[in-house]
Amino acid sequence: MKKLALHWQILIGMALGVIWGMLASSLGLVDFTTDWIQPFGTIFINLLKLIAVPLVLVSLITGVSSLSDVSRLSRIGSKTIGIYLMTTVVAVVLGLVLVNITEPGKAFSAEKREEFNQEFAATTTQKSSDAAAVEQQGPLQPLVDIVPDNIFGALTNNGAMLQVIFFALLFGIALIMIPPDKAAPVNDFFEGVNLVILKIVDLIMKTAPYGVFALLAGLVVEFAGDDPGSAVELLLVLGYYCLVVIVGLAIMIFAVYPLLAVFVGKTKYKDFFKGIFPAQMLAFSTSSSAATLPVTMECAEKNLGINREITSFVLPLGATINMDGTSLYQSVAAVFIAQAYGIELDIMAQLGIVMTATLASIGAAAVPGAGTVMLVIVLQQAGIPVEGIALILAPDRILDMCRTTVNVTGDATVSMMVARTENQLHPPTETAKV
């Protein structure tokens, strides 16, 4: 097992986890799996979350301070945010085109709608309440939320990643602006801390195959319970909708991003996928861009040849504001629900979805399930019944895994594009193993 590349170990762990989950559901081992196996998956996720905030803080400070020029930081930042917004709009429009062509929502009967509304009523109410709290805020509240009133409070909250990024950028800029002889000891300190954190990441990733095994085993038994047939039946009912979302996500992964990597990043199609594959597998397992960030950075630097100067700035920012997969899912889900309720959306309503989904994706936390809360806001803006979110909650966990994979792939692609325009792309230090 140790001789295999990490991504193959993760794939084996995922496959064994699914197999165990199915066997556990059939043999009455659901409680055993939930009590004695799934907790190890939770521990693995906690380890990744444990290192996420320190990694973002230190990597951004070292990345910004290494630029040695505020104007250069401004240029790279403008490119990064501009490209992230561009890919998000592409994702939303792609989702709208697919859902309007296939019309999956029209396959639902009135009886099935009512069944879902009753089954997921409590969850729908909670998501609506969360979205209402967001909507009641003023137009500049997102800007206010970026600036922390206590950096130590922000450092203890994974959901306050934008605040950590703000402080890191401010700290890094200040380091550039003070005399070099005074800044040198501080830079050396953070460089040393950065090396320690990267070594911790290496240690955590040695447990990845076992962690994803526990995660997938727990996920399967959660869906199936004591009757695996119920999960299969549920997925079949919503299969059409899931297929539309997955096709859209696949187009982003296998067409949009590789084209950008090939024509802008000047990297071969095959090399791009070989390089980012371990991060994609971990993203699929954890459903969290933030939790996957350490591996994304390692893949981008070692396998894709992107200088740390770029990855330490672009990737932490992308894990927070770049949610292409989430945006595509929101556009498909919104129109799907409207179709299920017999609501016709005109071109202006769908343009509103493009705008709202794009802006909502920037504020979505890089953790599992955040996209669902943002979806409520998209639905309310378009005048679509929020109760309809109950229709899509059943398969949302699986789709969340898929769209997180897209988010992480998009982060790496944009990082490569920015690196190429800044002459910061070089031959990989370590060839991606197969």
Side-chain angles (χ1 to χ4, degrees):
M1 184 76 170
K2 292 181 179 179
K3 294 180 180 179
L4 291 174
L6 176 64
H7 57 271
W8 290 119
Q9 295 182 37
I10 292 175
L11 273 177
I12 292 171
M14 290 170 64
L16 291 177
V18 171
I19 292 170
W20 174 266
M22 295 173 66
L23 288 175
S25 297
S26 302
L27 301 176
L29 297 174
V30 173
D31 290 340
F32 174 82
T33 302
T34 302
D35 294 340
W36 296 98
I37 294 179
Q38 191 172 16
F40 290 102
T42 304
I43 291 171
F44 176 63
I45 291 292
N46 287 345
L47 285 171
L48 291 171
K49 289 181 177 179
L50 166 72
I51 205 65
V53 170
L55 178 68
V56 169
L57 177 69
V58 176
S59 64
L60 265 180
I61 290 175
T62 55
V64 171
S65 61
S66 69
L67 294 176
S68 70
D69 185 356
V70 176
S71 63
R72 191 174 178 210
L73 172 64
S74 175
R75 185 179 70 247
I76 293 175
S78 299
K79 287 180 185 177
T80 301
I81 294 173
I83 298 173
Y84 278 144
L85 288 175
M86 178 197 72
T87 58
T88 299
V89 171
V90 169
V92 175
V93 172
L94 175 61
L96 288 176
V97 170
L98 288 174
V99 75
N100 278 287
I101 291 174
T102 56
E103 298 185 331
K106 294 186 177 180
F108 266 115
S109 65
E111 293 79 11
K112 186 57 66 178
R113 285 203 305 268
E114 185 60 30
E115 178 184 328
F116 275 101
N117 283 334
Q118 291 177 1
E119 184 174 353
F120 295 100
T123 307
T124 302
T125 302
Q126 178 60 47
K127 298 294 184 183
S128 299
S129 300
D130 294 342
V134 174
E135 279 202 321
Q136 288 174 2
Q137 299 172 348
L140 293 182
Q141 188 61 41
L143 190 61
V144 173
D145 291 340
I146 290 175
V147 183
D149 59 357
N150 184 337
I151 185 56
F152 296 103
L155 290 172
T156 60
N157 180 9
N158 278 24
M161 198 66 80
L162 273 176
Q163 296 184 351
V164 175
I165 289 174
F166 175 85
F167 176 80
L169 290 175
L170 192 63
F171 196 99
I173 292 170
L175 267 179
I176 295 174
M177 299 177 72
I178 66 175
D181 59 319
K182 301 296 183 183
V186 183
N187 284 327
D188 291 341
F189 169 77
F190 279 106
E191 286 288 350
V193 174
N194 195 42
L195 290 175
V196 172
I197 289 175
L198 292 177
K199 180 53 66 176
I200 293 175
V201 171
D202 286 340
L203 294 174
I204 293 173
M205 289 315 300
K206 292 183 184 298
T207 68
Y210 311 101
V212 298
F213 165 81
L215 283 171
L216 267 293
L219 180 63
V220 171
V221 297
E222 179 184 328
F223 268 107
D226 293 312
D227 179 16
S230 63
V232 175
E233 181 183 356
L234 188 60
L235 290 175
L236 286 175
V237 171
L238 294 173
Y240 193 12
Y241 157 73
C242 292
L243 182 62
V244 174
V245 176
I246 290 171
V247 167
L249 298 177
I251 291 173
M252 291 296 295
I253 286 183
F254 297 109
V256 176
Y257 294 140
L259 285 174
L260 293 173
V262 170
F263 290 104
V264 180
K266 306 298 182 184
T267 301
K268 293 181 180 178
Y269 188 96
K270 184 179 179 181
D271 291 343
F272 173 71
F273 279 107
K274 284 168 61 178
I276 199 62
F277 193 63
Q280 289 177 325
M281 290 300 95
L282 191 62
F284 185 81
S285 304
T286 62
S287 299
S288 172
S289 300
T292 311
L293 180 60
V295 182
T296 309
M297 294 182 70
E298 185 175 22
C299 289
E301 292 166 15
K302 291 185 177 180
N303 300 343
L304 299 180
I306 304 171
N307 281 357
R308 182 180 297 276
E309 181 179 302
I310 299 297
T311 61
S312 61
F313 176 80
V314 177
L315 290 178
L317 193 62
T320 308
I321 71 169
N322 183 47
M323 300 289 167
D324 292 348
T326 303
S327 301
L328 186 147
Y329 146 80
Q330 288 174 347
S331 64
V332 174
V335 179
F336 168 76
I337 293 170
Q339 291 171 351
Y341 278 86
I343 300 172
E344 294 294 334
L345 298 176
D346 59 22
I347 186 65
M348 292 308 297
Q350 298 205 29
L351 286 175
I353 290 175
V354 172
M355 181 65 69
T356 309
T358 301
L359 295 177
S361 70
I362 296 175
V367 295
T372 307
V373 175
M374 295 300 107
L375 175 60
V376 176
I377 297 174
V378 174
L379 292 177
Q380 291 178 333
Q381 180 277 329
I384 301 168
V386 174
E387 296 77 15
I389 202 172
L391 300 173
I392 61 168
L393 285 177
D396 185 67
R397 184 67 176 87
I398 290 177
L399 293 180
D400 197 9
M401 298 161 75
C402 297
R403 59 187 186 248
T404 303
T405 306
V406 172
N407 295 341
V408 167
T409 308
D411 294 344
T413 304
V414 173
S415 181
M416 177 175 286
M417 293 170 68
V418 173
R420 174 60 68 187
T421 62
E422 292 290 322
N423 295 317
Q424 295 292 321
L425 199 59
H426 56 75
T429 57
E430 178 181 298
T431 304
K433 298 177 183 178
V434 292

